[in-house]
Amino acid sequence: MDDNSEESQGRASYLIEGRRVTVSDLFDAGLLAQGTRLTFRRKRSGMAHTAQVTEDGRIELNDGRRFKSPSTAAAAASGRGPFDGWTAWELDDGTLLDVLRQRLLDTVAEQPSSGGLVAEGAANRHTWLKGARKQADSGAPITLTVRDLLDWWGLSRRGYLATAQVSAELANHGLSTVPDFTAVGLDGRVTLTGPSVDTEDEKETTAGRAATGQEAATEEEMRMTGAPGPVTSDEEAEDDEGEPIQGQTVGNLPSALRGVESVSSSASFEEAFTRMRLNGYSQLPVLNGPRNLQGAVTWESIALARYTDTDAAFSRAIVKAHAVSYADHLIDVLPFLEQFGFLLVKDQTNRIAGIITVADVAAEYGATARPFLLIGVLDRQLRRVISEGLDLAEVVALCDPEGIRRLTSFKQLSYGDYQQVLSNQRQWERLGWPLDRKAFTDRLNALREVRNELMHFNDKDKVGDAAIPMLRNMIELLREYGG
C-alpha cells in the first residue's frame, strides 16, 4: 500500500468516526474548487444570495466575510436564520452542498479498510444513517429510544466524547434528534429528523397554526431541534457544530417527561383533593389543554382558600406555577425551584410533560456527589502513594521531560501524571507491590473516564453510581499497599 492510499484510509476513518464534515473537506477531496460559485435562493421572498469557495475551502460572501460553516454563512448572507446551510447553498447546476457531503461520505465508506470490526461497524452505521435520512425526508422518520440510538455506536452511556461522536455523525447525514438525545433519559424516545426548514417557510407555518388555533412554534423549539441559530456578526460563530451540551439537564430527571396528573380550572376541590391523595402529591398542575398552564393547587393553597372563605370557588386556590424546558440545565432552574418548590417541564413541542420537585433534584445531585467525593479521596491516595514511595526528580522527568510545566512538587501532579508514573515499569518496581501492573493501570484508566464525566458534570447515565464499588476497591487497595 502506498503512502497516498494509507493517508486516504486514515482520512476516511476520521471523517466517518469523530467529527463533522466541513466545506474544506469537500475542497480537499476535489468536490469543490476555488472560485466555485454558490447560491442561496430564498423560497418565499425570491431573493438570491451568492458566494464563492476560497482557496482554503471557506465560503466567502460578496462583502468579503468568510465562513467555515455553510449555516453561519447562510445566516450572515440573509441577516436572519436559522438555516441548514448544507441544504441552502447550491452550485450553478443546482447540486446542494448536502449532496456533495453525502457523496464524500459514500466515497470514504466504500474504501477498503483493515480496521476490522470497528471499520465494519462504521460502514454499517453509515448505511443505517443514510436510510434514516431517507425516511426523514419522506416524512416517515425513525423513532427509537436513546439507548437503541447509542447502540448503533456500540455505546451504553453518553460520555462527553461519545456524545460528540454521535452528534457529529448525525450532523454529517443532516440528521438531528427531537428531543435532543442528550437532554432526556436513556429510555426516552427520540425521532431522527432531517434539516430544519427555511425560516420564511416556518413563519408561514406558524401563521397557519395561529389561524387554526394551534400554538405557534417558538424560537426555543427551533433551538431544541438542533437547528443552528442566526449569526449576528461577521465573527465566525462557527460553528453550528459546537461542543455537545455538557452537564445534567432537566429532561434527564426520571420524572421530567414521565407525564403529569392535572386538573382543569373548572375542577372542584373534591376532584383535586382525590387526585392528590391517590397519587401522594403535594401539588397538582391546573391545565386547560396540554400547553395552556393556568397554575397549580397545593395543600397550602387549598387550605388558605377554604380558611379565608368556606364557600370559595376552586379558582381561589390556584397559585402561580413555573414551567421550564426539558433541555434547560438543572443548575439554571434551581432559583425557580427554590422559589416555587416544584417546576413543570415542557417537552420539545411545549407540552407540559412532567414535573420535578426539590426532592428529585436533591436525589440527582446526591447521586452525583457520592462518586465525586470518592474521586477526591482516590486522587489524594494516589498522590500520597507516589510522594511517599518515589523520587520527585524521576517523577518530574517522566511527567514533564521538557520542563514546560515547571513541576517542583508532588502536589502539582494531575491524575494523568499518576497514570504516567504507575505505568512505568521502573517506578512500579520501586513500589514493590505484589500486584499486576497492567490490571492495576487498566483500572486507573477506567476510573479516569469516570472522573472526566464527573468533572464535566456530565454523568447523565449514572456511570458514577456504577463505579462506586470500583472506586472503593481501588482506594482500599491503595490504603493496604501504600501504607
Side-chain angles (χ1 to χ4, degrees), residues 318-339:
I318 299 175
V319 294
K320 184 177 180 181
H322 189 77
V324 298
S325 166
Y326 80 98
D328 286 340
H329 290 276
L330 276 180
I331 193 70
D332 295 331
V333 306
L334 290 181
F336 300 110
L337 190 61
E338 181 181 7
Q339 178 182 354

PDB file of all heavy atoms in Angstrom, residues 318-339:
ATOM      1  N   ILE A 318     -55.944  28.412  43.086  1.00  0.00           N
ATOM      2  CA  ILE A 318     -54.918  28.286  42.049  1.00  0.00           C
ATOM      3  C   ILE A 318     -53.819  29.322  42.271  1.00  0.00           C
ATOM      4  O   ILE A 318     -54.100  30.520  42.366  1.00  0.00           O
ATOM      5  CB  ILE A 318     -55.532  28.451  40.642  1.00  0.00           C
ATOM      6  CG1 ILE A 318     -56.584  27.369  40.392  1.00  0.00           C
ATOM      7  CG2 ILE A 318     -54.437  28.387  39.577  1.00  0.00           C
ATOM      8  CD1 ILE A 318     -57.336  27.527  39.081  1.00  0.00           C
ATOM      9  N   VAL A 319     -52.586  28.840  42.374  1.00  0.00           N
ATOM     10  CA  VAL A 319     -51.445  29.730  42.558  1.00  0.00           C
ATOM     11  C   VAL A 319     -50.543  29.632  41.330  1.00  0.00           C
ATOM     12  O   VAL A 319     -50.684  28.737  40.491  1.00  0.00           O
ATOM     13  CB  VAL A 319     -50.653  29.361  43.828  1.00  0.00           C
ATOM     14  CG1 VAL A 319     -51.490  29.598  45.065  1.00  0.00           C
ATOM     15  CG2 VAL A 319     -50.159  27.917  43.766  1.00  0.00           C
ATOM     16  N   LYS A 320     -49.609  30.569  41.244  1.00  0.00           N
ATOM     17  CA  LYS A 320     -48.713  30.615  40.092  1.00  0.00           C
ATOM     18  C   LYS A 320     -47.820  29.370  40.055  1.00  0.00           C
ATOM     19  O   LYS A 320     -47.347  28.901  41.092  1.00  0.00           O
ATOM     20  CB  LYS A 320     -47.854  31.874  40.150  1.00  0.00           C
ATOM     21  CG  LYS A 320     -46.960  32.060  38.928  1.00  0.00           C
ATOM     22  CD  LYS A 320     -46.183  33.370  39.014  1.00  0.00           C
ATOM     23  CE  LYS A 320     -45.299  33.550  37.777  1.00  0.00           C
ATOM     24  NZ  LYS A 320     -44.515  34.809  37.851  1.00  0.00           N
ATOM     25  N   ALA A 321     -47.589  28.860  38.869  1.00  0.00           N
ATOM     26  CA  ALA A 321     -46.661  27.736  38.672  1.00  0.00           C
ATOM     27  C   ALA A 321     -45.706  28.112  37.548  1.00  0.00           C
ATOM     28  O   ALA A 321     -46.070  28.863  36.636  1.00  0.00           O
ATOM     29  CB  ALA A 321     -47.420  26.461  38.331  1.00  0.00           C
ATOM     30  N   HIS A 322     -44.508  27.595  37.611  1.00  0.00           N
ATOM     31  CA  HIS A 322     -43.478  27.944  36.629  1.00  0.00           C
ATOM     32  C   HIS A 322     -43.118  26.711  35.812  1.00  0.00           C
ATOM     33  O   HIS A 322     -42.983  25.614  36.360  1.00  0.00           O
ATOM     34  CB  HIS A 322     -42.238  28.480  37.349  1.00  0.00           C
ATOM     35  CG  HIS A 322     -41.223  29.061  36.421  1.00  0.00           C
ATOM     36  ND1 HIS A 322     -41.351  30.307  35.844  1.00  0.00           N
ATOM     37  CD2 HIS A 322     -40.051  28.559  35.950  1.00  0.00           C
ATOM     38  CE1 HIS A 322     -40.304  30.561  35.086  1.00  0.00           C
ATOM     39  NE2 HIS A 322     -39.496  29.513  35.131  1.00  0.00           N
ATOM     40  N   ALA A 323     -42.982  26.903  34.506  1.00  0.00           N
ATOM     41  CA  ALA A 323     -42.605  25.797  33.619  1.00  0.00           C
ATOM     42  C   ALA A 323     -41.234  26.065  33.009  1.00  0.00           C
ATOM     43  O   ALA A 323     -40.900  27.208  32.682  1.00  0.00           O
ATOM     44  CB  ALA A 323     -43.648  25.623  32.511  1.00  0.00           C
ATOM     45  N   VAL A 324     -40.442  25.010  32.857  1.00  0.00           N
ATOM     46  CA  VAL A 324     -39.118  25.106  32.243  1.00  0.00           C
ATOM     47  C   VAL A 324     -39.031  24.093  31.120  1.00  0.00           C
ATOM     48  O   VAL A 324     -39.844  23.176  31.012  1.00  0.00           O
ATOM     49  CB  VAL A 324     -38.001  24.847  33.277  1.00  0.00           C
ATOM     50  CG1 VAL A 324     -38.030  25.895  34.377  1.00  0.00           C
ATOM     51  CG2 VAL A 324     -38.103  23.434  33.867  1.00  0.00           C
ATOM     52  N   SER A 325     -38.031  24.254  30.274  1.00  0.00           N
ATOM     53  CA  SER A 325     -37.821  23.318  29.166  1.00  0.00           C
ATOM     54  C   SER A 325     -37.055  22.088  29.635  1.00  0.00           C
ATOM     55  O   SER A 325     -36.199  22.174  30.513  1.00  0.00           O
ATOM     56  CB  SER A 325     -37.031  24.000  28.045  1.00  0.00           C
ATOM     57  OG  SER A 325     -36.545  23.045  27.118  1.00  0.00           O
ATOM     58  N   TYR A 326     -37.367  20.961  29.035  1.00  0.00           N
ATOM     59  CA  TYR A 326     -36.632  19.724  29.327  1.00  0.00           C
ATOM     60  C   TYR A 326     -35.144  19.888  29.025  1.00  0.00           C
ATOM     61  O   TYR A 326     -34.301  19.203  29.593  1.00  0.00           O
ATOM     62  CB  TYR A 326     -37.201  18.569  28.494  1.00  0.00           C
ATOM     63  CG  TYR A 326     -36.697  18.565  27.061  1.00  0.00           C
ATOM     64  CD1 TYR A 326     -35.644  17.745  26.688  1.00  0.00           C
ATOM     65  CD2 TYR A 326     -37.246  19.407  26.096  1.00  0.00           C
ATOM     66  CE1 TYR A 326     -35.161  17.748  25.389  1.00  0.00           C
ATOM     67  CE2 TYR A 326     -36.767  19.426  24.807  1.00  0.00           C
ATOM     68  CZ  TYR A 326     -35.734  18.590  24.457  1.00  0.00           C
ATOM     69  OH  TYR A 326     -35.247  18.620  23.166  1.00  0.00           O
ATOM     70  N   ALA A 327     -34.800  20.824  28.117  1.00  0.00           N
ATOM     71  CA  ALA A 327     -33.415  20.994  27.707  1.00  0.00           C
ATOM     72  C   ALA A 327     -32.643  21.964  28.590  1.00  0.00           C
ATOM     73  O   ALA A 327     -31.439  22.132  28.429  1.00  0.00           O
ATOM     74  CB  ALA A 327     -33.368  21.484  26.253  1.00  0.00           C
ATOM     75  N   ASP A 328     -33.308  22.612  29.534  1.00  0.00           N
ATOM     76  CA  ASP A 328     -32.616  23.532  30.437  1.00  0.00           C
ATOM     77  C   ASP A 328     -31.674  22.769  31.354  1.00  0.00           C
ATOM     78  O   ASP A 328     -31.947  21.627  31.749  1.00  0.00           O
ATOM     79  CB  ASP A 328     -33.627  24.302  31.290  1.00  0.00           C
ATOM     80  CG  ASP A 328     -34.370  25.368  30.506  1.00  0.00           C
ATOM     81  OD1 ASP A 328     -33.866  25.772  29.449  1.00  0.00           O
ATOM     82  OD2 ASP A 328     -35.455  25.780  30.952  1.00  0.00           O
ATOM     83  N   HIS A 329     -30.577  23.418  31.722  1.00  0.00           N
ATOM     84  CA  HIS A 329     -29.652  22.814  32.669  1.00  0.00           C
ATOM     85  C   HIS A 329     -30.217  22.911  34.080  1.00  0.00           C
ATOM     86  O   HIS A 329     -30.818  23.920  34.466  1.00  0.00           O
ATOM     87  CB  HIS A 329     -28.294  23.510  32.604  1.00  0.00           C
ATOM     88  CG  HIS A 329     -27.548  23.220  31.339  1.00  0.00           C
ATOM     89  ND1 HIS A 329     -26.785  22.081  31.184  1.00  0.00           N
ATOM     90  CD2 HIS A 329     -27.450  23.895  30.174  1.00  0.00           C
ATOM     91  CE1 HIS A 329     -26.251  22.080  29.972  1.00  0.00           C
ATOM     92  NE2 HIS A 329     -26.647  23.164  29.349  1.00  0.00           N
ATOM     93  N   LEU A 330     -29.999  21.858  34.840  1.00  0.00           N
ATOM     94  CA  LEU A 330     -30.504  21.847  36.211  1.00  0.00           C
ATOM     95  C   LEU A 330     -29.994  23.038  37.007  1.00  0.00           C
ATOM     96  O   LEU A 330     -30.740  23.645  37.778  1.00  0.00           O
ATOM     97  CB  LEU A 330     -30.083  20.550  36.912  1.00  0.00           C
ATOM     98  CG  LEU A 330     -30.962  19.330  36.687  1.00  0.00           C
ATOM     99  CD1 LEU A 330     -30.408  18.146  37.459  1.00  0.00           C
ATOM    100  CD2 LEU A 330     -32.390  19.606  37.099  1.00  0.00           C
ATOM    101  N   ILE A 331     -28.742  23.364  36.814  1.00  0.00           N
ATOM    102  CA  ILE A 331     -28.156  24.452  37.587  1.00  0.00           C
ATOM    103  C   ILE A 331     -28.871  25.774  37.321  1.00  0.00           C
ATOM    104  O   ILE A 331     -28.950  26.649  38.175  1.00  0.00           O
ATOM    105  CB  ILE A 331     -26.637  24.577  37.277  1.00  0.00           C
ATOM    106  CG1 ILE A 331     -25.945  25.476  38.301  1.00  0.00           C
ATOM    107  CG2 ILE A 331     -26.411  25.061  35.866  1.00  0.00           C
ATOM    108  CD1 ILE A 331     -25.845  24.896  39.668  1.00  0.00           C
ATOM    109  N   ASP A 332     -29.427  25.918  36.095  1.00  0.00           N
ATOM    110  CA  ASP A 332     -30.094  27.170  35.723  1.00  0.00           C
ATOM    111  C   ASP A 332     -31.505  27.286  36.283  1.00  0.00           C
ATOM    112  O   ASP A 332     -32.042  28.388  36.395  1.00  0.00           O
ATOM    113  CB  ASP A 332     -30.142  27.314  34.194  1.00  0.00           C
ATOM    114  CG  ASP A 332     -28.765  27.463  33.582  1.00  0.00           C
ATOM    115  OD1 ASP A 332     -27.880  28.000  34.277  1.00  0.00           O
ATOM    116  OD2 ASP A 332     -28.567  27.035  32.430  1.00  0.00           O
ATOM    117  N   VAL A 333     -32.127  26.165  36.605  1.00  0.00           N
ATOM    118  CA  VAL A 333     -33.514  26.220  37.071  1.00  0.00           C
ATOM    119  C   VAL A 333     -33.616  26.193  38.592  1.00  0.00           C
ATOM    120  O   VAL A 333     -34.712  26.328  39.138  1.00  0.00           O
ATOM    121  CB  VAL A 333     -34.362  25.065  36.481  1.00  0.00           C
ATOM    122  CG1 VAL A 333     -34.259  25.044  34.961  1.00  0.00           C
ATOM    123  CG2 VAL A 333     -33.966  23.719  37.069  1.00  0.00           C
ATOM    124  N   LEU A 334     -32.490  26.031  39.273  1.00  0.00           N
ATOM    125  CA  LEU A 334     -32.531  25.941  40.732  1.00  0.00           C
ATOM    126  C   LEU A 334     -33.170  27.159  41.402  1.00  0.00           C
ATOM    127  O   LEU A 334     -33.919  27.003  42.377  1.00  0.00           O
ATOM    128  CB  LEU A 334     -31.122  25.703  41.286  1.00  0.00           C
ATOM    129  CG  LEU A 334     -30.522  24.325  40.994  1.00  0.00           C
ATOM    130  CD1 LEU A 334     -29.141  24.203  41.621  1.00  0.00           C
ATOM    131  CD2 LEU A 334     -31.431  23.206  41.492  1.00  0.00           C
ATOM    132  N   PRO A 335     -32.900  28.397  40.923  1.00  0.00           N
ATOM    133  CA  PRO A 335     -33.562  29.543  41.566  1.00  0.00           C
ATOM    134  C   PRO A 335     -35.087  29.467  41.500  1.00  0.00           C
ATOM    135  O   PRO A 335     -35.778  29.832  42.457  1.00  0.00           O
ATOM    136  CB  PRO A 335     -33.023  30.748  40.779  1.00  0.00           C
ATOM    137  CG  PRO A 335     -31.714  30.284  40.229  1.00  0.00           C
ATOM    138  CD  PRO A 335     -31.928  28.843  39.907  1.00  0.00           C
ATOM    139  N   PHE A 336     -35.616  28.993  40.370  1.00  0.00           N
ATOM    140  CA  PHE A 336     -37.069  28.862  40.237  1.00  0.00           C
ATOM    141  C   PHE A 336     -37.594  27.740  41.130  1.00  0.00           C
ATOM    142  O   PHE A 336     -38.674  27.841  41.704  1.00  0.00           O
ATOM    143  CB  PHE A 336     -37.451  28.595  38.782  1.00  0.00           C
ATOM    144  CG  PHE A 336     -37.024  29.672  37.831  1.00  0.00           C
ATOM    145  CD1 PHE A 336     -36.010  29.452  36.913  1.00  0.00           C
ATOM    146  CD2 PHE A 336     -37.626  30.920  37.854  1.00  0.00           C
ATOM    147  CE1 PHE A 336     -35.605  30.449  36.042  1.00  0.00           C
ATOM    148  CE2 PHE A 336     -37.243  31.920  36.984  1.00  0.00           C
ATOM    149  CZ  PHE A 336     -36.224  31.688  36.078  1.00  0.00           C
ATOM    150  N   LEU A 337     -36.821  26.669  41.221  1.00  0.00           N
ATOM    151  CA  LEU A 337     -37.232  25.557  42.067  1.00  0.00           C
ATOM    152  C   LEU A 337     -37.265  25.986  43.535  1.00  0.00           C
ATOM    153  O   LEU A 337     -38.173  25.610  44.285  1.00  0.00           O
ATOM    154  CB  LEU A 337     -36.271  24.383  41.882  1.00  0.00           C
ATOM    155  CG  LEU A 337     -36.685  23.059  42.512  1.00  0.00           C
ATOM    156  CD1 LEU A 337     -38.003  22.572  41.922  1.00  0.00           C
ATOM    157  CD2 LEU A 337     -35.606  22.012  42.298  1.00  0.00           C
ATOM    158  N   GLU A 338     -36.288  26.791  43.917  1.00  0.00           N
ATOM    159  CA  GLU A 338     -36.265  27.307  45.287  1.00  0.00           C
ATOM    160  C   GLU A 338     -37.469  28.202  45.559  1.00  0.00           C
ATOM    161  O   GLU A 338     -38.053  28.173  46.641  1.00  0.00           O
ATOM    162  CB  GLU A 338     -34.967  28.091  45.517  1.00  0.00           C
ATOM    163  CG  GLU A 338     -34.823  28.645  46.921  1.00  0.00           C
ATOM    164  CD  GLU A 338     -33.536  29.434  47.099  1.00  0.00           C
ATOM    165  OE1 GLU A 338     -32.822  29.658  46.097  1.00  0.00           O
ATOM    166  OE2 GLU A 338     -33.255  29.841  48.239  1.00  0.00           O
ATOM    167  N   GLN A 339     -37.861  28.970  44.541  1.00  0.00           N
ATOM    168  CA  GLN A 339     -38.977  29.901  44.717  1.00  0.00           C
ATOM    169  C   GLN A 339     -40.326  29.178  44.769  1.00  0.00           C
ATOM    170  O   GLN A 339     -41.176  29.489  45.612  1.00  0.00           O
ATOM    171  CB  GLN A 339     -38.989  30.913  43.569  1.00  0.00           C
ATOM    172  CG  GLN A 339     -40.146  31.900  43.625  1.00  0.00           C
ATOM    173  CD  GLN A 339     -40.150  32.855  42.431  1.00  0.00           C
ATOM    174  OE1 GLN A 339     -39.213  32.853  41.617  1.00  0.00           O
ATOM    175  NE2 GLN A 339     -41.187  33.652  42.319  1.00  0.00           N
TER     176      GLN A 339
END
